[in-house]
Amino acid sequence: MFDALKLGAKIECDTFDPLRRSLKASYYGFKDGKTAWIELSQASGLALLNDSEKNPLLTSTYGTGLQINHALENGFTTIILGIGGSATHDLGTGIFEALGGKLLDHTKNSLHAKGEHLARCTELDFKNLNTKLLNTTTIVACDVTNTLLGKTGAAYTYAPQKGASPAVVAQLEEGATHFAKLVQQKRNKDLTQIKGGGAAGGTAAGMFGLFDSTLKPGFDLLSDLTALEERVREADLLITGEGKTDNQSQYGKVPFKLAELAKKYHKPLLLFAGSVSATPEILTRAGITAAYAIKTETMTLDYAKTHAYSLLKDAVLKNLKNHI
């Protein structure tokens, strides 16, 4: 069985949540002492906020940037950034700010990085950026394929899950469009055409534009580390899950990537999620044998979160017998 501890260990550091409140969060340092895996959700994740706090105009990836900075100062020279579960739509500008960069408005005043300030930024200041980045490789582990802008882009596809109203979605789209033009002018980097650039509120695109990061499928990175394909080939039954499975999950989310392997080796795959709204046609076509929601329509979200373990256990035990 895969044992993560044989590959390295968790490292805890002081950082901030999406609203810049202090917290401690961890990242993973591999035993080579050179490679660190940082999950954006640890400091910039939606799960760190209650429902009334969710607003991608106000949230930031600044805390994730502090984690990256901690890794750099501790000698890691390859940073892999996993970007699932974000609460943000700041195009990674919070990371840029935390690493010493500055966003300036038309009066040369500094702006705090967050979604509502993208449209106000007219200059990027790299002078005080952490110099260790010059000798660091940054890789964004990105499984979704959405580009930054448009109806299947970051704002329209993902911002509503983060608390954005239709008006806020339009504002975020406008801000991202403006910022992409700025990066094109200043860095000669086109953020709009990158496959996966819309992931995590445009963090993937921002990392590419601001840090020359490479985007690679996170599923493939982890699959290689865990010899996943071989394990799927030897398995009799696969079980996977995510918080919410809807039609956008087909754009590279882990359950659908796992389903590709399930189809390849003709293995049944069961999906358990908090809620399932993806159409049966999409699920079947992907290779998902059956999908089960652990939250009922009459159950409150707070109850589902509090009792997630028992609800998942009951759902698995109830439905597994139909497939063995």
Side-chain angles (χ1 to χ4, degrees), residues 204-283:
M207 290 294 292
F208 166 77
L210 298 171
F211 301 105
D212 299 321
S213 299
T214 301
L215 276 61
K216 294 184 178 180
F219 182 85
D220 292 347
L221 289 168
L222 284 174
S223 180
D224 290 342
L225 284 170
T226 60
L228 181 62
E229 184 163 352
E230 177 64 18
R231 296 174 188 278
V232 168
R233 189 182 67 82
E234 295 177 351
D236 295 314
L237 174 68
L238 306 178
I239 299 175
T240 188
E242 64 177 332
K244 178 181 181 181
T245 300
D246 55 20
N247 287 345
Q248 60 89 18
S249 294
Q250 66 185 304
Y251 298 115
K253 290 295 183 72
V254 168
F256 282 75
K257 296 293 289 185
L258 185 59
E260 292 178 10
L261 290 177
K263 285 183 68 174
K264 180 178 180 178
Y265 292 103
H266 309 288
K267 306 292 184 177
L269 173 65
L270 308 184
L271 168 67
F272 294 88
S275 65
V276 178
S277 59
T279 64
E281 293 78 12
I282 286 176
L283 294 170

Side-chain angles (χ1 to χ4, degrees), residues 115-135:
E116 69 177 355
H117 284 167
L118 291 173
R120 292 179 54 193
C121 181
T122 60
E123 188 63 60
L124 299 168
D125 185 344
F126 289 81
K127 290 195 297 289
N128 294 315
L129 207 61
N130 190 323
T131 56
K132 290 183 172 62
L133 286 164
L134 295 173
N135 298 308

Side-chain angles (χ1 to χ4, degrees), residues 31 33 78 86 140 151 192 208 219-221 295:
K31 64 182 180 181
T78 297
S86 81
V140 179
K151 294 302 181 181
T192 65
F208 166 77
F219 182 85
D220 292 347
L221 289 168
K295 177 185 175 297

Side-chain angles (χ1 to χ4, degrees), residues 9-70:
K10 290 197 300 183
I11 300 170
E12 188 175 72
C13 65
D14 293 319
T15 184
F16 293 98
D17 77 359
L19 295 174
R20 301 197 185 218
R21 297 175 298 202
S22 297
L23 85 159
K24 289 185 179 294
S26 298
Y27 61 91
Y28 198 82
F30 289 86
K31 64 182 180 181
D32 64 3
K34 298 178 181 179
T35 305
W37 186 297
I38 298 173
E39 281 293 331
L40 183 140
S41 60
Q42 291 295 300
S44 307
L46 196 62
L48 298 171
L49 306 177
N50 61 46
D51 288 344
S52 65
E53 295 172 332
K54 295 174 182 177
N55 185 343
L57 287 175
L58 305 179
T59 50
S60 173
T61 55
Y62 185 79
T64 299
L66 292 179
Q67 288 185 288
I68 294 174
N69 195 68
H70 188 275

Side-chain angles (χ1 to χ4, degrees), residues 302-314:
D302 285 340
Y303 181 89
K305 289 179 177 179
T306 304
H307 297 82
Y309 175 81
S310 60
L311 290 169
L312 178 58
K313 179 182 176 181
D314 291 345

Side-chain angles (χ1 to χ4, degrees), residues 79-97:
I79 307 295
I80 304 173
L81 180 63
I83 53 175
S86 81
T88 60
H89 191 103
D90 70 352
L91 276 65
T93 55
I95 294 172
F96 179 68
E97 182 185 357

